[in-house]
Every structure is written in C-alpha cells, then in structure tokens.
Amino acid sequence: MIKRMLAVDGVNVICEFRDDGSFVEGYGMLPEEHMMGLAKFAHDYKRIVQGNADQLSMFTQMNGWTPPGGWIVRGERMSVCSIGNLVCLVDNEEGSLTEVMAELKDVSSM
C-alpha cells in the first residue's frame, strides 16, 4: 500500500512506523538500517511538533492548532515529509512537496 508513494516524482524512500517509533516497513533507495533511523527520526520529530502544537493551543486559547496535519523538514537537496505514521525522503529538484504531502495524506488515511 505505501509502496505506491515511490511512484510520486522525487520520492526516494517511504517508511511506516508504529506509535512507539518502531519500524514497520520501508521501501526505496536506502538500506533497511537507514530506513529504521528515518522512522525513529520521524517519530521523535512528530512528538516535538505535537508538543509545540499543544503548547500553542494552551497558551493562545485558540482552536485549530491540534492535531498537527503533518510536517516537512526541508534541506538544500532533500526534504523529509511526514503525515501520521508515514515518512518519506524527497529529492527537492525532482518532486513537488505539495504533491508529496497530498499523496501522503491519501495513503495515510487508508
């Protein structure tokens, strides 16, 4: 199911992880041990984003901050995109982050 993300332009790796951060499956151009590291990074970063959104919601007393829909960490050549318990590695020159996030949202809701 998540393997279809590799058909999206620019996506080099797609991984799924559990709520505790453990690696479920991954596909793409990285060795499995690096995919496991990507899943761990995504889990930890997801927790940080959730904590920040919770604080914004609490301090501003405004609705809409939580739950966060996803996140992107953009680097010079590559970006890491995540929604739910899915994370992918995207080549910035080859892919559209808007398209990647839309597809991630679709795949994560299955």
Side-chain angles (χ1 to χ4, degrees):
M1 171 175 66
I2 68 169
K3 205 174 200 179
R4 81 177 207 195
M5 283 297 300
L6 292 176
V8 178
D9 289 341
V11 174
N12 292 328
V13 176
I14 178 71
C15 298
E16 182 178 7
F17 56 94
R18 291 190 176 90
D19 288 336
D20 66 358
S22 60
F23 180 75
V24 175
E25 64 180 329
Y27 304 97
M29 297 191 255
L30 282 180
E32 187 171 309
E33 70 180 42
H34 291 151
M35 289 186 203
M36 292 171 75
L38 178 62
K40 174 79 170 110
F41 166 77
H43 172 263
D44 293 348
Y45 202 84
K46 177 182 176 181
R47 298 291 304 254
I48 291 168
V49 170
Q50 286 175 338
N52 288 341
D54 289 343
Q55 287 180 346
L56 284 168
S57 180
M58 182 177 67
F59 291 130
T60 63
Q61 296 296 305
M62 294 172 56
N63 293 329
W65 293 105
T66 60
W71 53 266
I72 299 171
V73 175
R74 184 173 171 89
E76 186 177 331
R77 293 179 29 205
M78 304 292 282
S79 295
V80 180
C81 303
S82 182
I83 292 181
N85 287 0
L86 297 178
V87 60
C88 64
L89 192 59
V90 181
D91 185 310
N92 292 337
E93 290 184 11
E94 294 181 17
S96 160
L97 295 180
T98 302
E99 182 182 333
V100 169
M101 292 302 280
E103 193 67 26
L104 265 178
K105 184 177 181 182
D106 187 44
V107 171
S108 71
S109 64
M110 296 181 155

